[in-house]
Amino acid sequence: MTDDSTGTPPSLPRSRPPVPRPLLSPWTVPVVSVVVLAAAGVVGWLLWSWIDSLALADPEKKAAAQLDAVKISASVLVAGGGLFALYLAVRRQRTQELELEARHAELRHRQAELSQRDRTQDHAEQVAETNRLHSERVADDTKKDADARRVTELYSTSVGQLGSDHAAVRLGAMYALERLAQDDPPQRQTVVSVLCAYLRMPYAAPTDTPPGVSDQDHLQERQVRLTAQRLLHGHLIPHYRGQDGATYPMPSFWAGIDLDLTGATLIDFTLTGCAVRTFLADGAKFTGDTLFDWTAFSGPAQFNKATFTGPARFSNVMFAGPTSFTGSAFEDDSPFGFGDGGHAKPRGNSFSDATFASDTWFNEATFASLTSFTRATFIGSAQFDKITFSSHATFTEATFGDIDSPLRSKSFILGTKVDHSFRSVTFAGVADFRKARFADLTWFTKATFGETALFDNALIAQAVVSHHSEIAESLERIQGVDRTLWPPGWRLSPDHATVKGLKDTWHTFQRTEPEPDDRHSA
């Protein structure tokens, strides 16, 4: 409880001390004694006189009456003394009671004073704590404001320096932004967006250098762009492997990052071993080697109409969200190149061991060189409509559909849910589907095989086969579209059997044409 006007505890009213009883005069007892004796004497004298006035002939009766008078006087004396003694006892008792009450009152007053002192101390401590917390909040707010101003100034300065004509200034700005993002996690996506925006700016290949731009300036700009790519790659690696073989979290990892590289020109771009959320690269141009080995995309990944002028590797990549390569062009057509030291290295496009957990589109894409989907897994729908494979294409041991997936049953509803399509695909080289596994409907309608198609030891689930005829007939009758499941030159075995390690029963593919040349079956 505090005083409304001052905010301080009210003072404790002091209790009134008890009024002391007056002391008995030292003459009180003698005076009372004299009074009592006098009263007894007067009573005795009056009685004695009264008896003398009576005409009592018998002396014995008169003597007895006088004796009674003396007794009465003595009784009066004793009674007066007893009354005075009783008065003294009552007075003494009352005095003790008053003293006890005074002691209790004093004790209560002391307790009240102590309580008041404690309340005053508590109030003072609360005021001090409130003032301390307020001071801390003011200091924190001041620090936050200062940090925010520092971050804003550093961010604004660095972004402004990215437009400098000097490559060294642009490099310094990128490293400043990197340090800012590393120290301030809420700024990481913003800094990444700035780096991506820089990479989306127009950039010409050395052979296409605009007039007025020197080769030195072009080389410096190339180094700046490579630095931006390297900074992105370095902060998107979630784990590293120690010397003991164990995996440890990377301290510099930035989680939950979205990359928007739409229309960007990227040089020897790599996200090997990285983890990103959304990746947008529609219309991007990937020059040199492009590496996405062991990359994990937790959200959508879009490469629509992207161009890959060099080899592209997506080995062991994980696409957890929808993935689209619609209209992309893989233009590298050299089968071998030479790296450092003159060692030959295979070139081409690789999606080996990749996992596509959601729907995937490669419609109207072109692959100029060897393309591998070896051991790739397509859990969602995979669309390869109107694709051109100018060289060999291998889907060896690839899996189309998931025999254990609850979505599998939907693929049998008119083939419109989960299915895989190679409609109007052109295989200019060998189409290798050896040991592939088809757990959902896969269409090869109007597919063109320029050399040969290999489906040796490929498997297709019996449940797919049992629904195919009905679905194909229904679609052909309703839409007038031919839905061909079997690839040209192949038919299914008449019997279906179980396969070790797999559920359901499976058909194998059998040739309806002569064996291919040894160079194709190797």
Side-chain angles (χ1 to χ4, degrees), residues 94-112:
R94 183 59 182 160
T95 301
Q96 292 176 351
E97 292 176 353
L98 291 176
E99 290 179 354
L100 184 59
E101 289 179 359
R103 290 178 182 176
H104 288 170
E106 182 66 21
L107 180 60
R108 288 195 297 270
H109 184 70
R110 290 183 179 179
Q111 290 177 344

Side-chain angles (χ1 to χ4, degrees), residues 71-286:
K71 290 181 179 179
I72 292 173
S73 298
S75 297
V76 171
L77 180 61
V78 172
L83 289 174
F84 184 65
L86 179 61
Y87 165 75
L88 292 178
V90 171
R91 179 182 174 85
R92 185 181 302 109
Q93 178 67 24
R94 183 59 182 160
T95 301
Q96 292 176 351
E97 292 176 353
L98 291 176
E99 290 179 354
L100 184 59
E101 289 179 359
R103 290 178 182 176
H104 288 170
E106 182 66 21
L107 180 60
R108 288 195 297 270
H109 184 70
R110 290 183 179 179
Q111 290 177 344
E113 286 183 343
L114 292 176
S115 299
Q116 177 67 15
R117 187 179 305 168
D118 291 341
R119 286 195 295 271
T120 302
Q121 180 66 23
D122 292 341
H123 178 73
E125 292 177 355
Q126 291 177 0
V127 171
E129 181 66 14
T130 301
N131 293 336
R132 185 185 66 80
L133 294 176
H134 178 70
S135 300
E136 289 182 355
R137 284 195 296 270
V138 171
D140 290 342
D141 292 342
T142 303
K143 183 177 182 300
K144 289 180 181 179
D145 291 341
D147 291 342
R149 287 195 298 271
R150 181 184 62 82
V151 169
T152 301
E153 293 174 359
L154 178 59
Y155 175 79
S156 301
T157 302
S158 300
V159 171
Q161 290 175 344
L162 288 177
S164 172
D165 294 334
H166 302 285
V169 176
R170 298 196 296 274
L171 287 172
M174 288 184 179
Y175 284 113
L177 288 172
E178 178 203 21
R179 184 174 64 254
L180 169 64
Q182 183 64 27
D183 296 339
D184 191 2
Q187 300 296 327
R188 291 175 179 176
Q189 181 60 60
T190 302
V191 170
V192 168
S193 297
V194 170
L195 295 178
C196 290
Y198 187 91
L199 293 173
R200 291 198 302 270
M201 295 175 64
Y203 174 76
T207 55
D208 301 326
T209 304
V213 178
S214 66
D215 292 340
Q216 183 66 23
D217 291 340
H218 193 281
L219 291 175
Q220 290 179 350
E221 173 60 15
R222 174 186 173 90
Q223 292 303 316
V224 173
R225 300 179 75 87
L226 289 174
T227 298
Q229 294 179 186
R230 187 163 52 250
L231 292 177
L232 292 175
H233 179 225
H235 287 288
L236 296 177
I237 300 175
H239 302 96
Y240 72 95
R241 189 175 298 277
Q243 296 181 352
D244 57 356
T247 300
Y248 300 94
M250 184 71 77
S252 59
F253 174 60
W254 297 350
I257 295 298
D258 300 323
L259 297 181
D260 185 0
L261 297 171
T262 303
T265 298
L266 305 170
I267 308 165
D268 291 330
F269 187 77
T270 176
L271 284 183
T272 299
C274 292
V276 298
R277 187 165 55 189
T278 300
F279 188 85
L280 305 178
D282 293 344
K285 184 176 182 180
F286 295 87

